[in-house]
Amino acid sequence: MKDRLQELQSEALEKVKQSEDLKALQDVRVAYLGKKGPITEVLRGMGKLSKEERPVIGQLANDVRESIANAIQTKQDKLEEKAMEKQLEEESIDVTLPGRPVHVGGPHLLTSIIEEIEDLFIGMGFEIKEGPEVETDYYNFEALNLPKGHPARDMQDSFYITEELLLRTHTSPVQARTMKQKDGHEAVRMICPGKVYRRDTDDATHSHQFTQVEGLVVDENIKMSDLKGVLNAFAKQMFGSERDIRLRPSFFPFTEPSVEMDISCKMCGGEGCSVCKGTGWIEILGAGMVHPNVLEMAGYDPEIYSGFAFGMGPERIAMLKYGVDDIRHFYTNDIRFLKQYHKA
Ligand code: FA5
């Protein structure tokens, strides 16, 4: 029995020596020190021994167990240390490598231009209003002097949701909503930026979804010259003091008289070039004096109150100001395009 124990000891110690990883070491532990291992088996046979031999063999069995357990523990410590060293080596950081650049975002060009427009009008005492993008037929058309079946509705092909609900085709419904809120008595001086939708075919200057900024002033004694003064101040601040504006007669059912405002072409200084199609002028917005019917429908007495309104497309303004040649750039969001307009 003594020999058997010593044999098991040297066998186990050899296997510990040969173990190259923690898994192999664990196998040795289970094989020699486990409940079903050979040492336990030897101990089970101790009953057959004489009284004198029993404590000697018992002591030897314990010593053998302990020496195997110690050898396993020492080897385990070594293997763990080795594994840690390997991991540290693999994960070591080369502090001389250049750092990865952090990309800092910036506002979208369209957001910047709308904020610029807002700042200009806030500076002239206007407040900012908002209205719903899903609009009623009443506010989008009827309250703006465009009853059902009016031929001018064709000017704005619409996305209808139901007979009475549609995606607003312009920001002008916010005019009617704001005047209604003011109850026909208070003066109004507001602009309203927001998204609008039309069944237009997308091309370099048209999008089926785009933005507009509406403006409205209502008070006693508001005249066409006030409209011209405000638009002139806006155009010069937005595009530069050397630019001229001109108003051309136009038609909108909600304004009378109606105009379109052109700005002198930046490319040719008014001489005529391919950008302004040889005219020297580029159209930027529609405007006019609020139609008496619109004032009346909103509760204002047109004998006392008058007003002007305008509506512009910020994409077109940004295109002109920054020389963007295709409106689709605003919506395809190519980061190389957008990055050019991030302010440092
Ligand atoms: C209107 O939408 C009127 N509500 C503007 C207005 C307001 C007139 C108040 C009078 C008083 P118009 O359809 O012209 O008008 O559009 C105004 C501006 O929106 C245009 O000058 C243009 O800059 C822009 N716009 C129109 N259609 C598109 C489109 N499909 N894609 C991009 N911009 C467009």
Side-chain angles (χ1 to χ4, degrees):
M1 210 170 250
K2 196 173 160 192
D3 293 345
R4 175 68 184 138
L5 280 170
Q6 280 165 348
E7 201 182 297
L8 284 172
Q9 183 182 27
S10 51
E11 212 182 279
L13 293 179
E14 183 57 31
K15 288 214 168 133
V16 169
K17 211 165 143 195
Q18 284 167 8
S19 299
E20 284 185 354
D21 55 37
L22 292 167
K23 161 89 179 59
L25 204 58
Q26 178 62 8
D27 291 346
V28 176
R29 187 197 304 275
V30 172
Y32 286 89
L33 304 181
K35 274 187 194 150
K36 292 178 188 158
I39 297 178
T40 316
E41 213 172 288
V42 170
L43 289 173
R44 259 193 219 121
M46 277 187 30
K48 291 179 199 147
L49 296 175
S50 68
K51 238 179 167 184
E52 294 74 31
E53 273 179 317
R54 235 178 268 162
V56 180
I57 296 297
Q59 180 63 45
L60 178 65
N62 278 340
D63 291 348
V64 167
R65 247 178 196 287
E66 209 177 298
S67 77
I68 298 174
N70 284 343
I72 289 175
Q73 188 57 52
T74 313
K75 183 76 184 225
Q76 184 176 332
D77 291 347
K78 261 192 200 150
L79 287 175
E80 280 175 352
E81 197 178 314
K82 234 167 130 186
M84 175 64 83
E85 270 169 20
K86 192 167 169 239
Q87 190 184 356
L88 286 175
E89 215 167 90
E90 281 170 2
E91 290 178 0
S92 67
I93 299 166
D94 181 353
V95 290
T96 62
L97 280 177
R100 290 199 192 102
V102 178
H103 295 288
V104 180
H108 193 284
L109 175 56
L110 204 45
T111 308
S112 304
I113 204 89
I114 290 174
E115 282 174 1
E116 208 177 327
I117 296 170
E118 285 176 355
D119 284 349
L120 290 183
F121 281 101
I122 287 171
M124 288 191 263
F126 284 66
E127 59 175 329
I128 312 279
K129 288 277 179 188
E130 281 185 353
E133 286 173 34
V134 176
E135 188 52 281
T136 59
D137 185 273
Y138 176 77
Y139 279 115
N140 197 77
F141 290 128
E142 284 180 51
L144 295 169
N145 205 26
L146 271 151
K148 286 202 165 77
H150 193 291
R153 284 191 176 205
D154 289 350
M155 286 161 74
Q156 299 180 4
D157 254 352
S158 321
F159 291 110
Y160 273 91
I161 293 164
T162 66
E163 284 267 304
E164 294 302 326
L165 275 182
L166 73 159
L167 296 179
R168 67 179 177 191
T169 54
H170 50 176
T171 41
S172 299
V174 186
Q175 279 187 34
R177 285 182 175 275
T178 309
M179 283 192 272
K180 265 257 163 80
Q181 270 173 15
K182 304 268 180 185
D183 230 13
H185 298 296
E186 276 176 70
V188 181
R189 201 185 299 168
M190 71 88 182
I191 61 161
C192 155
K195 293 195 192 97
V196 300
Y197 305 83
R198 286 187 198 176
R199 288 182 55 186
D200 279 351
T201 307
D202 291 3
D203 63 21
T205 51
H206 291 85
S207 178
H208 60 282
Q209 182 228 290
F210 56 103
T211 58
Q212 281 193 340
V213 176
E214 189 79 11
L216 174 71
V217 172
V218 178
D219 206 342
E220 292 179 31
N221 211 21
I222 297 291
K223 299 183 291 294
M224 189 84 181
S225 51
D226 297 315
L227 168 65
K228 193 169 177 188
V230 165
L231 293 182
N232 195 30
F234 161 72
K236 298 219 161 174
Q237 287 183 70
M238 179 58 86
F239 296 103
S241 55
E242 68 289 358
R243 313 290 290 278
D244 286 327
I245 65 158
R246 75 172 182 187
L247 301 180
R248 278 180 294 107
S250 185
F251 171 76
F252 297 102
F254 30 92
T255 45
E256 180 58 37
S258 301
V259 292
E260 260 165 337
M261 183 173 102
D262 297 339
I263 182 152
S264 59
C265 179
K266 180 183 174 185
M267 301 296 166
C268 60
E271 298 280 302
C273 67
S274 62
V275 173
C276 58
K277 299 192 181 93
T279 62
W281 296 95
I282 296 172
E283 180 208 314
I284 61 165
L285 55 83
M289 300 305 291
V290 181
H291 197 291
N293 289 353
V294 174
L295 286 170
E296 213 163 356
M297 275 188 275
Y300 284 84
D301 181 348
E303 296 296 328
I304 302 171
Y305 287 94
S306 56
F308 66 76
F310 54 86
M312 64 182 90
E315 285 89 345
R316 301 259 180 97
I317 306 260
M319 287 170 86
L320 272 176
K321 184 163 171 155
Y322 295 107
V324 177
D325 61 357
D326 196 316
I327 197 168
R328 288 166 290 203
H329 287 313
F330 292 103
Y331 296 107
T332 44
N333 285 330
D334 183 332
I335 205 83
R336 291 166 301 180
F337 165 77
L338 297 174
K339 251 163 74 176
Q340 300 174 78
Y341 304 100
H342 287 171
K343 290 183 186 124

